[in-house]
Amino acid sequence: MGAADIVPGVSGGTMAFITGIYDRLLAAIKSFDLALLRLLLRARFAAAWKHVDALFLVALLLGIATSMLSLARLVSWLLESHPVPLWAFFFGLILASALVLLKQVGQWTAQRIVALLLGISVALAIALSPAIGLGGGMTSVFFAGFIAICAMILPGISGSFILVLLGMYAPVLMALRSLDLLFILVFATGAASGLMCFSRLLHYLLEKFHSATMALLTGFLFGSLLVVWPWKRVESWIRASDGEMKPVQQFPVMPAEYLQISGENPQLLLCIAVALLGALAVWLIDRRWGESPAQQS
């Protein structure tokens, strides 16, 4: 999850979904509730630790932090120097994951097919959306945090990409760099509120409508393939906090057209090889943890 969150356009939620910890992660987030507060007020710390599945969360957060610290420079370098093969790796990873996770849906019904198509449509619409502005003010900052964190825990949808679309990516980075405490506090409050609300909704849907929700989430994965397609044509740009122009709206193209547009080698054979490597990683996970990674929670 830490390695995925470094790459704009790739969701840490995707990695949680692929590796089968998604249900358990939602349940752990959901457990930060009034029951936890009562346990803490009664000084029942051992019960509170167990209530929130703290051992799982600590291990997960340590893994994310370790990955970010150890892989941040490598992934950033690959994103800067070899972006096309890196995107190809994630394409193979996500495509294979979506195909494997289709098995979790079970018997296909009209409802589950609609859910799958809805997930694909929503992810495609987000991937192709132009940038929009929320406007100024702390209300916009709060809603940006609320919406971005909801996207971050959804597989296939990147929270940082949502911030770009909302026109809040550069302001958030600038606030973090300048330590604008009011901005950071309002944004964090929005993110915490979104996390608490949305995790409960997703957990409820997975409990009551598991197969249809799995179809919806798998649809998000299929739709997100447009974001990680290695060869793209940039339609619009946005100025980042460092003054550099960053692509915000991109459309997939074939390798030959990419060569004509950019003048760069599409590295087709290398991309196929690393995409297969990503698919192999999913196959190994699937083989190690059973019929499907999503069964393990």
Side-chain angles (χ1 to χ4, degrees):
M1 288 178 68
D5 280 327
I6 295 170
V7 181
V10 182
S11 167
T14 301
M15 297 300 110
F17 200 49
I18 289 170
T19 52
I21 64 169
Y22 195 70
D23 286 9
R24 188 173 180 181
L25 176 59
L26 291 179
I29 295 171
K30 174 179 171 289
S31 64
F32 284 83
D33 51 16
L34 292 176
L36 172 64
L37 182 59
R38 285 193 291 268
L39 290 171
L40 292 175
L41 290 175
R42 295 170 184 170
R44 296 179 59 188
F45 300 117
W49 178 272
K50 185 177 180 180
H51 178 75
V52 298
D53 200 0
L55 191 61
F56 163 77
L57 289 176
V58 169
L60 181 66
L61 291 173
L62 285 175
I64 291 173
T66 301
S67 178
M68 285 185 164
L69 291 172
S70 61
L71 295 179
R73 291 192 177 185
L74 173 61
V75 173
S76 298
W77 176 76
L78 288 172
L79 196 60
E80 183 72 25
S81 305
H82 305 283
V84 174
L86 181 63
W87 288 122
F89 173 78
F90 279 108
F91 186 89
L93 190 78
I94 294 172
L95 176 59
S97 301
L99 293 173
V100 167
L101 290 166
L102 282 177
K103 295 187 296 183
Q104 287 294 296
V105 177
Q107 184 178 0
W108 284 95
T109 63
Q111 180 193 43
R112 294 168 190 177
I113 292 172
V114 169
L116 177 70
L117 295 177
L118 178 63
I120 294 172
S121 300
V122 170
L124 289 178
I126 292 172
L128 297 175
S129 295
I132 59 175
L134 277 181
M138 289 297 109
T139 302
S140 297
V141 174
F142 177 88
F143 279 110
F146 189 98
I147 296 169
I149 200 68
C150 291
M152 193 170 291
I153 61 175
L154 278 174
I157 301 179
S158 165
S160 59
F161 184 67
I162 293 296
L163 286 178
V164 170
L165 293 182
L166 296 176
M168 295 297 293
Y169 187 73
V172 169
L173 286 183
M174 194 174 300
L176 291 173
R177 289 181 178 179
S178 62
L179 291 179
D180 185 339
L181 296 181
L182 177 60
F183 188 108
I184 294 171
L185 178 62
V186 173
F187 184 84
T189 302
S193 302
L195 190 62
M196 292 298 103
C197 295
F198 203 59
S199 63
R200 281 165 169 75
L201 174 62
L202 279 178
H203 191 262
Y204 171 81
L205 291 174
L206 282 168
E207 277 192 333
K208 300 296 183 180
F209 311 101
H210 185 269
S211 294
T213 306
M214 288 297 296
L216 177 70
L217 297 177
T218 304
F220 285 143
L221 286 186
F222 277 116
S224 72
L225 291 173
L226 197 65
V227 177
V228 295
W229 179 255
W231 306 282
K232 304 164 189 169
R233 180 182 76 247
V234 179
E235 291 293 320
S236 59
W237 302 77
I238 191 172
R239 188 175 298 278
S241 60
D242 57 5
E244 294 186 7
M245 299 301 293
K246 303 288 186 182
V248 63
Q249 187 181 25
Q250 304 179 82
F251 289 95
V253 298
M254 298 305 292
E257 185 178 347
Y258 175 82
L259 175 61
Q260 292 178 347
I261 294 171
S262 66
E264 297 178 4
N265 185 353
Q267 306 175 78
L268 182 58
L269 293 179
L270 176 60
C271 286
I272 292 173
V274 294
L276 290 174
L277 182 63
L280 176 63
V282 173
W283 178 80
L284 291 173
I285 291 172
D286 183 44
R287 183 171 180 177
R288 168 63 180 84
W289 278 285
E291 288 185 39
S292 170
Q295 287 184 324
Q296 303 300 317
S297 58

